[in-house]
């Protein structure tokens, strides 16, 4: 299945999931099974599935054909070249293509001068009004392509300006761009471009990152330390005629070497194989040349040959536009799409589905518990009422007094429950503190300070090491603290259970320690960046601040996710307590009401017993229905969806833009 098809099928699954989730929520609400924690869990699942993004980054030296490849894979349906792709340097700023339903189709450009300010790129994202905006007409490919020409715009500035903007470094004269006859230096006009269009694939959560093949010196640090490491897949492009050049290798080292994990998420494209097509050579000779380039490139980059895919982006694009099947076949573009689909999308889907199935599992447990309580209450009432059969008025009256007494006792014991709550809250506050933004800020301020020390160059690794080991310590502390909270909850719940015959169960504590892995990846990307000659930039004013701000935005995401987990855990514990209190109060009410009816009419008792019988039946049905509804959500797409989804819809998705 090609990338487009796989993506389309994934999209269909997501839409169906969202729909089923909505039905489940409504059904739960109708049957009073939707407490605060369950509702929160449903919302999170929904937004997890809805907002799941898959980012594919295209990285290479300039003119290798990144933009052309994007055109060929994603935009052939427009019948023309959409992203500017031409000889020489073309794409001047990192360009992200995605879809956000809340914003009209547009191109947003962040002026390069923002580099003179301290804010990290990620911070600029939350200030859309500072970006230059151009509306796009998705139904007019010519207008679209023309607007996108902007990402190729340049400015000419003095050496001083270039230096301030980070395009000129006195320490690395060889890497500096050439100055024009007028002494001016060409720099990109924009720092970053965001394209928002309702392309079918983008609508389904695909984000494409096209990067400029600028030399390392002019690149945005955040590209290296944030954007590219966070991409789910990176496509690295070589030219078939040149193979791996020195500058290709430099870029490969800066952006694509990740130790340990993520190797599957890298694909190498040997582009422009059409330049080897040659009327004077036999097809076998051409193939042998391509195979040789493929083998050599794989060896130099240390990858299995299967991860190096020879294609012709340009011929692939032409073939799609002119519907030339034979040319498409020779361009080998379908093989690349297949690799992207199975590798990238396949992996991504598996991860999302596993996460979602776990969430649904917990939801089922929580809702199951609520039903269990109801069932038990009914059983108890049944025993109570059966015991009243054939009893005289005074026994019934006595029973009423007893229930009222129980109720009064229960009301006064509220303080115990309150005590559990306040201990819980206090411990949680400590935990929140450990994971809070101010704590993080303090750590990072120290790092900034350290990086600013003259002569830090050799000590960078140590400075990062210290910061990250403190961050790790913080996570470990958080884990210990959440373990303590868990023990406290377990013990208090056990006590409340025995005292009030509740059936409270402490929800599973979050595994905060696994965020250490995220920290490790972040630390690694920074050290790799600074290890590559970029360390000299630390002497530049504000550079370390900007770098640490970029670090902060990435770390914040990790900490916010961790906090979110803690919150959900807490909510789930608190709402259990609430729910059982509420059920108990209702239970008293129902019991008293039953007695009242029995006191008033002789037949009341049998009627009430019949009612309870019936309610038990209803509960069983509810239980079955819940199992049924959640089973649907835990499974992947059904076989039937697979059969009908892929073919037709995918072809459409790959081909055409949507009417706005
Ligand atoms: N013959 C041939 N030319 C190609 C192929 N792919 C791209 N090109 C050409 O190579 C030139 C550069 O392509 P781009 O897509 O602009 O390259 P890029 O990697 O995006 O370059 P920058 O944006 O400058 O970083 C263009 O003239 C393309 O038409 C291909 O498969 N075969
Ligand atoms: Mg380009």
């Amino acid at each position: 299945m090609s990338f487009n098809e796989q993506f389309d099928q994934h999209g269909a699954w997501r839409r169906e999931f969202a729909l089923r989730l909505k039905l489940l929520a409504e059904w739960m609400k109708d049957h009073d099974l939707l407490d605060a924690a369950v509702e929160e869990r449903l919302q999170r699942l929904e937004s997890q599935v809805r907002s799941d993004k898959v980012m594919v980054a295209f990285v290479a030296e300039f003119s290798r054909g990144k933009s052309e490849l994007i055109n060929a894979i994603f935009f052939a349906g427009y019948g023309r070249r959409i992203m500017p792709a031409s000889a020489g340097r073309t794409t001047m700023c990192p360009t992200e293509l995605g879809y956000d339903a809340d914003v009209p189709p547009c191109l947003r450009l962040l002026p390069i001068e923002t580099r003179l300010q301290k804010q990290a790129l990620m911070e600029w994202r939350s200030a859309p009004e500072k970006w230059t905006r151009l509306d796009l007409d998705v139904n007019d490919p010519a207008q679209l392509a023309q607007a996108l020409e902007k990402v190729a715009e340049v400015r000419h500035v003095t050496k001083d300006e270039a230096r301030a903007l980070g395009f000129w470094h006195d320490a690395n004269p060889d890497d500096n761009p050439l100055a024009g006859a007028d002494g001016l230096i060409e720099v990109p006009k924009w720092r970053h471009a965001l394209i928002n269009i309702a392309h079918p694939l983008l609508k389904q959560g695909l984000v494409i990152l096209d990067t400029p093949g600028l030399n390392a010196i002019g690149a945005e640090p955040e590209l290296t330390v944030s954007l590219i490491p966070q991409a789910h897949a990176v496509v690295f492009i070589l030219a078939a005629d040149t193979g791996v050049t020195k500058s290709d290798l430099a870029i490969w080292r800066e952006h694509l070497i990740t130790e340990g994990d993520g190797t599957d998420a890298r694909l190498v494209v040997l582009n422009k194989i059409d330049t080897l097509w040659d009327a004077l050579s036999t097809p076998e000779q051409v193939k042998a040349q391509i195979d040789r380039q493929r083998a050599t490139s794989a060896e130099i980059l240390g990858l299995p040959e299967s991860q190096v895919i020879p294609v012709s982006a340009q011929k692939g694009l032409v073939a799609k536009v002119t519907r030339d099947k034979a040319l498409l076949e020779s361009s080998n573009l379908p093989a690349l799409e297949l690799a992207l689909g199975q590798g990238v999308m396949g992996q991504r889907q598996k991860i999302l589905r596993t996460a979602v199935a776990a969430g649904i599992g917990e939801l089922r447990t929580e809702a199951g518990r609520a039903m269990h309580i109801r069932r038990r209450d009914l059983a108890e009432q049944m025993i109570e009422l059966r015991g009243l059969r054939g009893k005289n008025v005074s026994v019934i009256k006595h029973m009423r007094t007893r229930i009222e007494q129980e109720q009064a006792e229960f009301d006064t014991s509220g303080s115990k429950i309150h005590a559990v709550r306040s201990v819980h809250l206090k411990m949680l506050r400590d935990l929140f503190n450990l994971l809070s933004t101010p704590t993080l800020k303090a750590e990072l301020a120290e790092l900034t300070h350290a990086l600013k020390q003259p002569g830090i160059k050799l000590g960078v690794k140590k400075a990062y090491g210290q910061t990250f080991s403190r961050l790790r310590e913080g996570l470990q502390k958080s884990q210990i603290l959440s373990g303590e909270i868990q023990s406290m909850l377990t013990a208090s719940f056990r006590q409340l259970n025995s005292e009030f015959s509740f059936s409270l169960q402490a929800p599973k504590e979050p595994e905060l320690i696994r965020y250490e892995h995220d920290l490790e990846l972040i630390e690694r990307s920074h050290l790799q960046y600074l290890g590559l000659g970029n360390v000299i930039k630390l002497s530049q004013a504000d550079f370390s601040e900007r770098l640490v701000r970029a670090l902060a935005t990435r770390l914040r995401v990790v900490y916010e996710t961790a906090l979110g987990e803690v919150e959900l855990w807490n909510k789930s514990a608190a709402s259990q307590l609430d729910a059982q209190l509420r059920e108990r109060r209702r239970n008293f009410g129902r019991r008293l009401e039953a007695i009242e009816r029995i006191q008033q009419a002789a037949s009341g008792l049998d009627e009430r017993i019949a009612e309870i019988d019936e309610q038990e039946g209803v509960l069983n049905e509810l239980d079955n229905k819940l199992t049924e509804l959640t089973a649907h959500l835990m499974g992947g797409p059904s076989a039937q969806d697979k059969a009908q989804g892929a073919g037709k819809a995918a072809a459409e998705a790959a081909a055409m833009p949507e009417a706005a």
Side-chain angles (χ1 to χ4, degrees):
M1 208 186 307
S2 80
F3 188 72
N4 287 340
E5 286 168 349
Q6 188 112 10
F7 215 101
D8 190 63
Q9 193 199 311
H10 186 51
W13 173 75
R14 296 204 313 192
R15 277 190 298 278
E16 189 185 320
F17 186 90
L19 203 70
R20 284 187 194 276
L21 208 56
K22 210 168 146 218
L23 288 177
L24 176 65
E26 276 165 11
W27 178 83
M28 289 180 93
K29 194 164 180 189
D30 287 346
H31 296 92
D32 216 4
L33 289 168
L34 201 62
D35 69 27
V38 170
E39 193 167 5
E40 168 110 13
R41 202 178 284 285
L42 278 168
Q43 265 164 17
R44 282 180 191 222
L45 280 169
E46 201 264 337
S47 92
Q48 189 177 10
V49 169
R50 181 170 37 82
S51 63
D52 185 59
K53 299 268 184 214
V54 178
M55 186 189 261
V56 182
F58 288 73
V59 177
E61 179 56 294
F62 76 95
S63 220
R64 295 291 184 261
K66 296 176 289 289
S67 305
E68 190 77 330
L69 200 54
I70 291 172
N71 281 323
I73 300 178
F74 304 106
F75 297 121
Y78 288 98
R80 56 164 296 149
R81 200 165 265 133
I82 294 295
M83 299 288 283
S86 58
R89 293 185 193 289
T90 309
T91 313
M92 293 301 285
C93 65
T95 304
E96 246 177 275
L97 297 110
Y99 177 66
D100 175 356
D102 299 332
V103 180
C106 65
L107 165 66
R108 271 175 297 168
L109 297 151
L110 185 65
I112 195 74
E113 293 74 22
T114 56
R115 278 203 187 182
L116 302 174
Q117 296 168 38
K118 276 183 194 151
Q119 286 85 345
L121 182 58
M122 300 298 154
E123 294 170 82
W124 285 105
R125 276 170 189 264
S126 45
E129 70 282 357
K130 304 275 167 49
W131 297 56
T132 301
R133 208 182 100 181
L134 240 84
D135 288 326
L136 297 175
D137 182 355
V138 285
N139 295 312
D140 181 353
Q143 189 263 353
L144 190 59
Q146 198 201 352
L148 299 192
E149 291 281 336
K150 289 245 172 245
V151 304
E153 286 182 342
V154 294
R155 282 191 49 201
H156 294 90
V157 299
T158 63
K159 205 176 281 179
D160 285 341
E161 275 180 86
R163 194 180 287 119
L165 290 169
F167 292 98
W168 190 276
H169 295 269
D170 296 321
N172 280 30
D174 294 347
D175 286 337
N176 288 334
L178 293 175
D182 50 5
L184 293 182
I185 296 167
E186 186 181 277
V187 300
K189 183 162 177 192
W190 311 105
R191 181 179 181 185
H192 202 83
L194 290 171
I195 297 173
N196 184 40
I197 43 173
H199 182 284
L201 292 173
L202 305 182
K203 275 179 87 170
Q204 285 166 34
L206 177 67
V207 177
I208 305 167
L209 177 65
D210 189 9
T211 61
L214 288 170
N215 57 6
I217 218 80
E220 180 89 37
E222 277 184 272
L223 201 60
T224 322
V225 300
S226 296
L227 275 173
I228 296 175
Q230 281 177 296
H232 301 98
V234 183
V235 181
F236 180 68
I237 302 158
L238 298 166
D241 51 349
T242 54
V244 186
T245 67
K246 204 174 142 208
S247 58
D248 288 327
L249 204 54
I251 290 176
W252 171 262
R253 291 209 173 113
E254 172 147 2
H255 293 296
L256 285 112
I257 295 189
T258 42
E259 295 156 44
D261 52 16
T263 47
D264 291 341
R266 288 175 302 166
L267 270 184
V268 175
V269 170
L270 197 58
N271 190 28
K272 308 195 187 185
I273 53 169
D274 59 297
T275 56
L276 306 178
W277 300 347
D278 166 17
L280 298 183
S281 310
T282 64
E284 290 72 31
Q285 285 171 322
V286 171
K287 184 174 178 305
Q289 269 197 66
I290 294 174
D291 285 348
R292 213 165 37 240
Q293 284 292 53
R294 186 182 187 195
T296 321
S297 308
E299 198 189 328
I300 297 177
L301 301 179
L303 288 179
E305 250 179 71
S306 58
Q307 249 165 284
V308 181
I309 301 172
V311 304
S312 168
Q314 194 193 60
K315 296 294 180 270
L317 175 61
V318 171
K320 280 188 179 176
V321 170
T322 59
R323 298 176 198 271
D324 181 339
K325 273 208 179 113
L327 186 62
L328 187 61
E329 200 57 38
S330 349
S331 79
N332 204 32
L333 196 64
L336 172 61
E337 292 178 344
L338 192 72
L340 269 173
Q342 282 171 351
V344 180
M345 283 314 298
Q347 278 305 98
R348 192 67 206 150
Q349 287 171 17
K350 237 191 255 158
I351 292 171
L352 183 66
R353 283 175 195 193
T354 313
V356 159
I360 295 284
E362 310 235 328
L363 192 93
R364 184 138 88 183
T365 313
E366 269 161 22
R369 188 158 37 226
M371 288 202 264
H372 170 75
I373 300 169
R374 280 186 208 173
R375 184 167 289 141
R376 208 197 45 203
D377 281 354
L378 286 177
E380 278 173 8
Q381 271 197 63
M382 194 67 140
I383 295 172
E384 195 171 85
L385 294 178
R386 285 214 170 111
L388 286 180
R389 272 207 172 119
K391 295 284 155 47
N392 62 28
V393 180
S394 81
V395 174
I396 294 175
K397 202 168 158 199
H398 177 70
M399 168 75 87
R400 185 193 183 111
T401 322
R402 224 185 60 207
I403 298 174
E404 276 165 353
Q405 238 168 23
E406 258 180 61
Q407 188 179 27
E409 266 168 41
F410 182 74
D411 284 344
T412 53
S413 61
S415 63
K416 278 194 188 135
I417 292 163
H418 184 73
V420 172
R421 278 224 174 103
S422 67
V423 173
H424 184 202
L425 276 182
K426 194 187 155 303
M427 292 174 94
L428 268 177
R429 238 191 324 268
D430 294 342
L431 183 53
F432 279 140
N433 249 337
L434 273 174
L435 298 170
S436 72
T437 311
T439 309
L440 193 58
K441 263 200 179 137
E443 287 298 347
L444 293 179
E446 220 164 298
L447 178 63
T448 315
H449 180 73
L451 293 180
K452 274 189 177 162
Q453 297 308 305
I456 182 66
K457 280 172 208 162
L458 294 174
V460 163
K461 201 164 176 181
K462 197 166 149 214
Y464 268 88
Q466 283 168 346
T467 303
F468 274 85
S469 72
R470 277 196 306 267
L471 291 176
R472 265 192 288 276
E473 248 167 57
L475 273 186
Q476 284 152 10
K477 263 193 222 153
S478 312
Q479 185 69 67
I480 293 172
L481 190 52
S482 67
E484 284 168 7
I485 297 179
Q486 183 77 354
S487 320
M488 185 283 290
L489 282 178
T490 312
S492 325
F493 278 10
R494 195 178 304 134
Q495 203 191 343
L496 293 176
N497 285 349
S498 75
E499 199 160 332
F500 304 113
S501 45
F502 281 159
S503 52
L504 297 162
Q505 193 183 8
K508 213 166 80 206
E509 66 184 295
E511 239 184 273
L512 299 173
I513 215 72
R514 77 191 148 79
Y515 291 103
E516 273 192 38
H517 179 66
D518 293 313
L519 291 189
E520 203 179 303
L521 291 181
I522 295 172
E523 181 181 13
R524 208 189 287 158
S525 64
H526 272 251
L527 287 180
Q528 193 182 338
Y529 176 74
L530 286 168
L532 284 158
N534 291 310
V535 74
I536 54 154
K537 295 185 195 164
L538 285 173
S539 53
Q540 209 177 301
D542 294 340
F543 180 81
S544 40
E545 247 145 56
R546 277 208 297 270
L547 195 64
V548 175
R549 281 181 97 115
L551 177 64
T553 55
R554 237 185 120 184
L555 286 174
R556 210 169 294 139
V557 174
V558 175
Y559 280 76
E560 270 165 17
T561 317
L563 271 177
E565 262 195 76
V566 172
E567 259 168 17
L568 188 57
W569 170 49
N570 150 53
K571 219 176 211 172
S572 156
S575 72
Q576 268 189 52
L577 208 48
D578 282 343
Q580 301 207 9
L581 272 177
R582 204 173 44 230
E583 283 289 338
R584 179 56 52 86
R585 295 214 172 95
R586 269 194 216 153
N587 185 27
F588 283 124
R590 278 194 295 264
R591 284 161 73 192
L592 286 172
E593 196 195 332
I595 298 280
E596 192 136 317
R597 275 165 53 189
I598 295 160
Q599 279 177 326
Q600 277 166 8
S603 66
L605 182 56
D606 290 326
E607 262 174 35
R608 182 64 193 148
I609 288 177
E611 265 173 37
I612 291 180
D613 257 337
E614 195 182 319
Q615 279 173 16
E616 277 174 346
V618 170
L619 257 186
N620 286 338
E621 272 168 37
L622 277 188
D623 211 356
N624 290 339
K625 186 79 184 165
L626 177 70
T627 308
E628 183 195 316
L629 286 173
T630 49
H632 268 308
L633 285 160
M634 284 168 90
S638 64
Q640 179 201 348
D641 298 331
K642 266 188 199 152
Q644 43 160 257
K648 188 176 115 280
E652 281 165 13
M656 282 317 293
E658 282 198 353

